[in-house]
């Protein structure tokens, strides 16, 4: 029975929202400490106390609003910016000398949190919009803006726009990655289906065509029809017209969700020898280690299927009297299975020609399987001296495709 495996990759924006949450709390405490230590300079301390109280309550009450892009609504952003601007403009009311000195405003650097929220939510254009209002409020609050005031205003404006631009680039990269994952998943699904078709339907159609041609009569017509269907099916497989796996983007969380179809895995490990032993016979020699060759069930089954595909190629291309040998080697880091025959070998360029004609046995049934396992498949053939296929599979999945030569 098939099951769905859901792999979620956290959005690149989430760390920014978490950082903003921490920034708002820390800068709120910083603004309060500045007011406490500088309380003697306020002509109207009740103005500072009232504003800082409202700011603290607002900051703590709206923490969920800065937990993600969906929760951070336009209404919240507007109210938050209005509170920051009010704090800047109320500073001279609490401290008469604030307009003529370069001291901090009531909200201090807490104001930058409002601008950063605009930047993360909407990109550099939203950041420019919010930082422009903050810059105007700071210039109004300072009756005689100094060089330091202009420097701070410009710094906030440029930094917020830069952060907004980085967020837009990150979102574009995330969309590109989601598309790449979708293409990769679709390609893997096509290869899997093509391997299954090659190992079953195409082999049967090819056998019906050969036997029908050899028998003659009505059987020859049946063989001809089977041959036509084989060509049509190979063309369909090569064109990639198979259903892909699903990769979607969760708009609510900005997370990329990849869903693939897999078979239920059997618990424990499988002895590869048990899967390869049935191939042994009068024309196939099987050499195995004395101890079990343990692999995860999916890896063992895929490797056994690749060996089966290699033996099918021996029977089809090396002739009825060809002898084959299977050698299993169990190394600490990998398992190596070698399939060798004493047939006529493969002429130079024949594999490339076969793939061009849509005959994808080696490319998909053998190399494709090993690539899925993070292993390698190497084919060595000398005309007149047989063919050798060496299959290597790591015992521990490396989480990525290996090289296929």
């Amino acid at each position: 029975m098939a099951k769905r495996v859901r792999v979620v990759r956290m959005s690149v924006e989430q760390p920014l929202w978490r950082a903003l949450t921490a920034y708002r709390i820390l800068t709120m405490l910083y603004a309060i400490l500045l007011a406490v230590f500088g309380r003697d300079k306020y002509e109207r301390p009740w103005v500072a106390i009232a504003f800082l109280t409202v700011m603290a309550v607002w900051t703590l009450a709206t923490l969920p609003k800065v937990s993600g892009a969906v929760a951070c609504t336009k209404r919240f952003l507007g109210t938050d910016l209005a509170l920051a601007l009010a704090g800047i403009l109320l500073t001279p009311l609490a401290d008469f000398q604030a307009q003529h000195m370069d001291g901090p405003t009531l909200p201090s650097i807490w104001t930058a949190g409002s601008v950063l929220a605009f930047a993360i939510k909407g990109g550099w254009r939203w950041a420019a919009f919010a930082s422009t209002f903050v810059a105007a409020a700071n210039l109004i609050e300072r009756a005689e803006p100094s060089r330091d005031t202009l420097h701070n205003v410009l710094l906030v404006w440029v930094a917020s726009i830069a952060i907004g631009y980085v967020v837009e680039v990150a979102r574009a990269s995330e969309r590109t990655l989601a598309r790449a994952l979708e293409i990769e998943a679709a390609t893997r699904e096509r290869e899997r289906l093509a391997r299954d078709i090659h190992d079953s339907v195409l082999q049967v159609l090819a056998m019906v065509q050969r036997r029908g041609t050899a028998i003659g009569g009505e059987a020859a017509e049946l063989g001809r029809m089977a041959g036509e269907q084989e060509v049509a099916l190979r063309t369909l497989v090569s064109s990639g017209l198979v259903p892909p796996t699903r990769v979607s983007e969760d708009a609510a969380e900005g997370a990329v969700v990849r869903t693939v179809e897999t078979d239920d895995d059997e618990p424990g490990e499988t002895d590869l020898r048990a899967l390869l032993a049935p191939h042994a016979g009068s024309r196939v020699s099987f050499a195995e280690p004395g101890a079990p060759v343990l692999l995860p069930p999916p890896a063992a089954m895929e490797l056994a299927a690749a060996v089966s595909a290699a033996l099918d190629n021996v029977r089809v291309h090396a002739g009825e009297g060809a002898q084959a040998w299977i050698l299993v080697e169990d190394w600490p880091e990998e398992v190596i299975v070698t399939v060798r025959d004493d047939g006529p070998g493969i002429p130079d360029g024949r594999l490339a020609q076969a793939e061009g004609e849509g005959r994808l046995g080696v490319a998909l049934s053998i190399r494709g399987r090993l690539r899925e396992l993070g292993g390698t498949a190497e084919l060595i053939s000398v005309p007149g001296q047989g063919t050798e296929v060496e299959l290597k599979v790591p015992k521990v999945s490396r989480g990525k495709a290996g090289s296929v030569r």
Side-chain angles (χ1 to χ4, degrees):
M1 180 182 296
K3 67 179 182 182
R4 287 192 178 274
V5 178
R6 195 171 187 263
V7 181
V8 179
R9 182 177 57 81
M10 184 65 69
S11 168
V12 295
E13 293 182 30
Q14 289 305 119
L16 296 177
W17 288 111
R18 287 195 293 266
L20 178 60
T21 301
Y23 179 87
R24 288 170 65 87
I25 296 175
L26 293 176
T27 53
M28 174 199 72
L29 296 175
Y30 177 72
I32 294 174
L33 289 176
L34 283 180
V36 171
F37 289 115
R39 60 185 179 276
D40 295 337
K41 71 176 182 178
Y42 292 116
E43 286 79 5
R44 293 193 181 100
W46 62 269
V47 174
I49 295 173
F51 172 78
L52 292 174
T53 301
V54 172
M55 185 187 75
V57 172
W58 170 261
T59 301
L60 297 177
T62 58
L63 288 181
K65 291 292 186 179
V66 289
S67 62
V70 175
C72 187
T73 62
K74 292 181 180 180
R75 177 178 297 180
F76 162 76
L77 289 174
T79 306
D80 196 59
L81 181 61
L83 180 62
L85 297 178
I88 296 173
L89 298 176
L90 285 174
T91 301
L93 194 61
D95 180 8
F96 296 158
Q97 301 299 318
Q99 288 186 322
H100 307 287
M101 299 177 63
D102 288 327
T105 60
L106 287 177
S108 184
I109 57 175
W110 182 88
T111 305
S114 299
V115 178
L116 292 176
F118 272 84
I120 300 174
K121 172 69 174 182
W124 71 269
R125 293 176 180 83
W126 287 34
F129 172 82
S131 58
T132 300
F133 277 93
V134 172
N138 276 283
L139 294 177
I140 293 173
E141 186 265 338
R142 305 293 185 188
E144 300 174 358
S146 65
R147 179 180 298 179
D148 288 340
T149 300
L150 295 176
H151 175 268
N152 293 335
V153 166
L154 183 62
L155 180 62
V156 172
W157 197 73
V158 172
S160 61
I161 291 177
I163 293 175
Y165 179 75
V166 169
V167 170
E168 289 189 359
V169 172
R171 285 173 178 159
S173 300
E174 199 166 41
R175 288 192 295 269
T176 302
L177 177 60
R179 178 57 181 162
L181 288 175
E182 182 178 356
I183 294 174
E184 178 193 8
T187 301
R188 288 180 180 273
E189 181 68 8
R190 284 195 294 267
E191 290 185 355
R192 183 194 65 79
L193 183 58
R195 288 197 302 267
D196 292 342
I197 292 175
H198 174 270
D199 293 345
S200 56
V201 181
L202 292 179
Q203 296 286 3
V204 173
L205 291 175
M207 182 186 68
V208 171
Q209 181 186 20
R210 291 195 303 271
R211 296 292 177 85
T213 302
I215 294 174
E218 294 184 358
E221 177 64 16
L222 180 62
R224 183 189 66 79
M225 295 174 62
E228 292 177 353
Q229 294 303 311
E230 180 192 5
V231 172
L233 187 54
R234 287 186 187 277
T235 301
L236 180 63
V237 170
S238 300
S239 66
L241 298 179
V242 295
T245 55
R246 182 176 64 86
V247 177
S248 62
E249 184 172 354
D250 189 340
E253 296 295 337
V256 175
V257 180
R258 178 177 176 181
T259 306
V260 296
E261 295 289 342
T262 60
D263 293 332
D264 286 331
D265 295 339
E266 299 176 8
E269 294 183 315
T270 298
D271 187 356
L272 181 64
R273 302 179 305 168
L275 299 179
L276 299 182
H279 293 298
S282 60
R283 299 195 178 280
V284 179
S285 299
F286 180 47
E288 59 182 311
V293 181
L294 300 178
L295 285 173
M301 294 178 64
E302 287 293 304
L303 182 55
V307 172
S308 179
L311 292 175
D312 287 339
N313 287 333
V314 172
R315 285 190 288 270
V316 172
H317 302 293
E320 295 292 336
Q323 185 75 24
W325 292 266
I326 303 175
L327 172 63
V328 179
E329 301 174 81
D330 188 9
W331 295 94
E333 301 296 332
E334 62 183 358
V335 173
I336 302 177
V337 180
T338 304
V339 179
R340 183 171 61 86
D341 66 69
D342 60 357
I346 302 176
D348 293 338
R350 178 62 185 129
L351 286 179
Q353 178 185 354
E355 291 186 18
E357 295 173 352
R359 299 179 179 274
L360 305 176
V362 174
L364 293 180
S365 286
I366 299 179
R367 290 181 175 174
R369 293 184 190 277
L370 271 294
R371 183 171 60 248
E372 292 285 339
L373 299 175
T376 62
E378 184 175 4
L379 188 146
I380 302 174
S381 182
V382 178
Q385 299 183 23
T387 300
E388 180 176 300
V389 179
E390 185 180 73
L391 311 173
K392 295 182 179 180
V393 173
K395 288 188 175 180
V396 178
S397 174
R398 293 175 290 182
K400 61 181 180 179
S403 60
V404 180
R405 292 167 283 184

